[in-house]
Amino acid sequence: MPPKILIAEDNDTIAGALEGLLQRKGMTTERAADGVLALSRIIAAPPDALILDLQLPRLHGIELLKKLRQSPRTRNLPVVIVTGVYKGEQYIQAARALGVSSYLEKPFRAADLLAALHQALGTTAPPAPAPSTSREATMDRHLLRAFTSRFTGTYLLKCADGERNLVFLHGLPVSLRPGFSSKSFGDYLHRRGLLSAEEYGYYISPGDHNHEVLVSMGCLEYPDLLQEKFAYLSSELVDAFAAPPMTVEEMPAKAAAGHQALTVNVPNIFYQGFRRHLPPARQQALGERLSGRYLAPAKNYFRYINFLTLSDEEKRLLFSLDGSRTLGQCLGEETLLPPLIVTLATLEMVAWSEHPLSPALPDFPLRTLFNACQEDVEVELSFEQPLESFSDLVDKNEEPAPVITRRPIPPPPAAAGGDNPAGKVRETLARLRGKDYYETFGMTQGRFSFDLLKTRYFALTREFGPETLMQLSGEDAALVEEILSSVTTAYNTLSDVVKKERYDELLGSEKVGLGQAGDDLFQAQIQAQSGKVFLEMEEWDNAEKSLQDACNIDPKNGDYLAHLAWSIYRNPKNLSSRAMQDKVRQMLNRALTLDRGANAYAFKGYMLFEAGQDSLAEAEFTKALKLDARQAMARKGLRELQEKREQEKKGMFRRMFR
């Protein structure tokens, strides 16, 4: 007679999925959406086992469990706890005290639940499935199935040119023989010139066909051997994306508990495989399906995005997928879907909808997104950790390294004035006035070179160095300082990626250069940027000064005003001043009327959180993340709120067990 399982779960979707799984395995099931209903059904007809979610309405799961253990009739009822709230060893130990042998934290795998039930019922798990053959499909489909199901065992790949064995451990490829481009690992090394014909012959000889012999022969050092093995397996799997469709015979195996193999970067294999071998027809079909949809990061985005190595253009595309625009709007006139988007869709790293949607948040501590857009290079989830400052790319105390280039570098703009230092100074300053930062170094926005920028910057600064100053006095010396200040400002702007991008944006709308209209606006940006760096360094007085200068220049910029309010709020000297705290709140409200920005909402949320107004703080953090899913302070605030609630739950949990 099949075992009867009662599922006590208030989430209808989860309960339905559990019920379907158990019924497919030949069990009978019953559902209860709250604790009182579950208790009444157990009393009326005890099941063979209970799957219990702890956070049940009407009667908490712990209270239900206590009542069951107090009755002789249900004292020994097998119980499997499933919970997404009470996580950690302390809860597991407490549950064991009430006779619970299996404690699963959501999300869990179907195999884990079935194993827990068999253990609770005292039955044996069904035998491992016999090898099964899949339908014919391309390599990326087979690899995706193994990767997402965490398959352990061997795929016998049946291709038009023969069979290949691909071995997996928890969904990760660990070996392939033979390859798709090379017959073996030794053939791969031989073709690349890393093995001689004699060495290759010995490598493939009977009895010595193993990788370690390459170290013994002195062909590769052991770290190089590991690196080459990864390179071989990665390149062969990428080449497999170009192979014709094939069938796969799955031969499952059991892996040792806790075993972690060093293996290849699977998400990046999908990305590289699609970059090199994705058929245009498939790109176009998926593009037609998604172009009118809104895309935003899903849970898997944070699991896999740091495994990809992307270009700056692709990082900017990622940054635009925030759920507020359709994919077509993000891609512009692109006709074929970029391989990056195909990768994101294949690995379910993005969600899509016909309507705007909010990005998901990571469900684990996330320090940095390596593929953040240049406008948001550092994504720190701990506000106390300093961000990288915007410093020059060249140490001013060092002599510039000689520039090696294939093209001859044009000489720097000639200085007039002959041998008369004072005349040269005045004519150089007159020549620089009215020039934008590119023109200062004899370049244009479209023909920019960082090497040329360095060369001409150091040429100008050496030309007006200490020797020139020694020959000048009074007003002329002051003019030299003005030249050096202007040239240094231009260099600092163009040598910093973020500053350069913002400067380029300004150049598109109005003339900005040395002594031109628009300089004030740009200098406000520079002051604000400096103030934000001082904030991260916790230099509160300097931050306040720089941000106040930015607000004086551009008083209608809400972002500058919000950061100024935050610098005043965080300054320890203002903590005891009620007047300053009130001023800060007024400034922040004013900032939000000027610009409803993510930073302002995050600052407001933290002030409310520190005042103990948790619900209001959560609402402000949520607003911030809807505007910018990468807003570090809002993420940190929500995490601290969750930790605070977890502590409160722990207290409740302890009181229940008493």
Side-chain angles (χ1 to χ4, degrees):
M1 186 174 180
K4 175 185 173 184
I5 312 297
L6 175 63
I7 302 169
E9 168 65 67
D10 63 320
N11 186 310
D12 188 63
T13 303
I14 295 176
L18 294 176
E19 187 172 46
L21 170 67
L22 300 184
Q23 288 177 354
R24 288 195 299 273
K25 297 300 180 181
M27 305 179 192
T28 59
T29 60
E30 192 175 9
R31 288 162 61 175
D34 62 67
V36 172
L37 182 59
L39 182 60
S40 63
R41 288 184 175 172
I42 293 171
I43 293 172
D48 295 299
L50 168 66
I51 296 177
L52 176 64
D53 177 30
L54 292 181
Q55 201 169 30
L56 289 175
R58 298 180 67 194
L59 181 64
H60 195 278
I62 295 298
E63 293 298 331
L64 170 61
L65 192 53
K66 282 183 176 182
K67 293 180 184 298
L68 294 177
R69 295 314 185 216
Q70 290 168 1
S71 169
R73 191 179 178 203
T74 57
R75 182 175 297 157
N76 297 317
L77 175 68
V79 177
V80 175
I81 287 180
V82 293
T83 179
V85 177
Y86 301 102
K87 298 184 178 183
E89 186 62 28
Q90 70 273 28
Y91 298 127
I92 296 174
Q93 295 299 331
R96 284 176 180 164
L98 289 176
V100 176
S101 58
S102 297
Y103 194 102
L104 301 179
E105 296 177 355
K106 300 175 184 177
F108 51 82
R109 295 186 302 156
D112 296 333
L113 176 65
L114 293 173
L117 274 176
H118 286 297
Q119 179 184 355
L121 293 168
T123 60
T124 57
S132 62
T133 302
S134 67
R135 291 184 299 174
E136 192 174 66
T138 53
M139 183 61 187
D140 62 285
R141 305 288 189 188
H142 296 307
L143 184 59
L144 179 65
R145 187 174 70 254
F147 181 59
T148 55
S149 66
R150 295 177 59 83
F151 173 78
T152 295
T154 302
Y155 269 16
L156 180 60
L157 306 173
K158 299 183 178 182
C159 313
D161 59 346
E163 295 183 347
R164 294 170 174 84
N165 286 287
L166 178 57
V167 180
F168 292 90
L169 179 64
H170 303 311
L172 303 175
V174 293
S175 73
L176 172 68
R177 184 175 179 86
F180 284 86
S181 299
S182 304
K183 290 181 290 186
S184 65
F185 177 52
D187 180 45
Y188 169 80
L189 296 176
H190 178 51
R191 291 167 60 183
R192 294 177 59 223
L194 296 177
L195 287 184
S196 67
E198 181 184 5
E199 292 163 344
Y200 176 54
Y202 182 79
Y203 170 78
I204 62 175
S205 63
D208 285 312
H209 195 81
N210 65 81
H211 302 326
E212 286 71 20
V213 73
L214 300 173
V215 180
S216 301
M217 291 193 298
C219 303
L220 294 170
E221 293 187 25
Y222 193 75
D224 297 330
L225 172 66
L226 295 180
Q227 184 174 341
E228 292 295 339
K229 286 173 68 175
F230 289 146
Y232 162 72
L233 184 54
S234 297
S235 65
E236 291 295 328
L237 289 172
V238 168
D239 290 342
F241 276 51
M246 63 195 81
T247 59
V248 167
E249 183 178 321
E250 295 183 8
M251 295 177 284
K254 187 173 181 179
H259 183 62
Q260 298 252 345
L262 292 173
T263 185
V264 295
N265 181 347
V266 176
N268 205 51
I269 285 173
F270 278 99
Y271 170 62
Q272 295 295 339
F274 289 142
R275 281 188 64 189
R276 299 182 193 179
H277 306 299
L278 186 63
R282 184 171 170 187
Q283 286 177 274
Q284 189 169 3
L286 187 58
E288 291 173 356
R289 183 174 151 210
L290 296 181
S291 62
R293 305 291 183 93
Y294 294 84
L295 268 65
K299 290 292 185 184
N300 277 357
Y301 179 89
F302 300 101
R303 290 185 61 191
Y304 304 137
I305 191 60
N306 277 344
F307 287 87
L308 306 182
T309 303
L310 307 179
S311 66
D312 289 343
E313 183 179 356
E314 289 172 318
K315 291 177 184 178
R316 285 191 285 271
L317 175 57
L318 271 186
F319 189 73
S320 68
L321 301 177
D322 58 2
S324 65
R325 289 174 286 182
T326 66
L327 179 60
Q329 292 170 330
C330 296
L331 295 178
E333 298 179 359
E334 184 74 45
T335 55
L336 290 179
L337 207 60
L340 172 61
I341 300 297
V342 180
T343 304
L344 298 179
T346 300
L347 297 179
E348 297 183 353
M349 296 169 65
V350 288
W352 54 82
S353 170
E354 295 179 354
H355 308 286
L357 69 165
S358 299
L361 295 175
D363 53 5
F364 52 84
L366 177 63
R367 177 186 294 185
T368 301
L369 289 174
F370 301 136
N371 286 305
C373 179
Q374 289 286 0
E375 296 177 357
D376 188 25
V377 174
E378 287 291 322
V379 182
E380 297 286 352
L381 292 188
S382 176
F383 184 69
E384 287 74 13
Q385 295 178 354
L387 296 175
E388 291 183 0
S389 62
F390 302 105
S391 57
D392 287 348
L393 301 179
V394 178
D395 189 343
K396 296 180 181 178
N397 295 322
E398 295 181 359
E399 286 295 313
V403 179
I404 301 174
T405 179
R406 296 178 183 273
R407 298 181 180 179
I409 298 176
D419 295 330
N420 180 1
K424 182 170 64 174
V425 168
R426 294 176 184 274
E427 291 190 23
T428 300
L429 186 59
R431 178 172 50 80
L432 292 178
R433 288 194 186 280
K435 298 279 182 76
D436 64 36
Y437 292 166
Y438 290 99
E439 293 168 347
T440 298
F441 299 105
M443 294 184 287
T444 63
Q445 190 174 357
R447 301 177 69 86
F448 173 76
S449 162
F450 179 69
D451 288 338
L452 186 56
L453 173 69
K454 280 198 302 183
T455 301
R456 293 188 170 174
Y457 168 69
F458 285 110
L460 277 168
T461 53
R462 274 198 293 265
E463 184 178 2
F464 296 100
E467 295 81 4
T468 303
L469 279 174
M470 294 278 292
Q471 305 174 47
L472 301 171
S473 61
E475 182 181 353
D476 293 328
L479 294 179
V480 169
E481 291 182 3
E482 183 179 345
I483 291 174
L484 293 177
S485 175
S486 300
V487 169
T488 301
T489 299
Y491 173 78
N492 288 346
T493 300
L494 297 181
S495 64
D496 185 290
V497 175
V498 176
K499 294 180 184 178
K500 180 179 178 297
E501 286 188 359
R502 292 178 180 172
Y503 183 69
D504 289 346
E505 292 173 2
L506 286 173
L507 278 181
S509 57
E510 55 180 311
K511 186 71 173 177
V512 181
L514 301 179
Q516 289 290 323
D519 276 357
D520 286 348
L521 183 61
F522 183 69
Q523 290 307 318
Q525 289 186 342
I526 299 299
Q527 290 294 337
Q529 199 170 55
S530 299
K532 292 173 184 179
V533 173
F534 284 132
L535 272 176
E536 302 300 338
M537 296 168 63
E538 298 188 357
E539 295 185 12
W540 313 115
D541 291 333
N542 288 332
E544 185 177 340
K545 182 179 182 302
S546 296
L547 290 164
Q548 185 64 67
D549 289 343
C551 290
N552 291 341
I553 297 171
D554 189 2
K556 294 186 178 181
N557 190 300
D559 185 60
Y560 300 168
L561 187 59
H563 279 86
L564 175 59
W566 184 248
S567 69
I568 296 172
Y569 176 78
R570 294 284 292 172
N571 196 329
K573 71 181 184 182
N574 297 325
L575 290 178
S576 59
S577 172
R578 179 64 180 272
M580 292 303 292
Q581 299 299 313
D582 291 341
K583 178 183 177 182
V584 163
R585 291 178 177 83
Q586 292 172 6
M587 292 173 67
L588 201 52
N589 288 333
R590 168 67 176 158
L592 283 168
T593 62
L594 293 171
D595 177 15
R596 294 183 178 274
N599 291 324
Y601 282 121
F603 297 152
K604 186 176 180 181
Y606 241 98
M607 292 177 190
L608 291 168
F609 179 48
E610 292 186 345
Q613 297 174 285
D614 293 356
S615 298
L616 294 176
E618 184 176 22
E620 299 302 318
F621 290 143
T622 304
K623 292 176 187 176
L625 291 172
K626 283 183 178 179
L627 293 170
D628 179 6
R630 297 176 174 85
Q631 216 293 331
M633 188 179 297
R635 285 184 180 175
K636 179 174 180 286
L638 285 178
R639 189 172 68 247
E640 290 185 356
L641 274 171
Q642 183 179 359
E643 289 172 354
K644 181 179 178 181
R645 289 168 180 163
E646 286 290 334
Q647 292 300 321
E648 293 171 352
K649 288 173 187 173
K650 289 178 184 178
M652 180 186 71
F653 201 81
R654 284 193 292 268
R655 290 193 297 272
M656 284 181 170
F657 273 102
R658 292 195 193 100

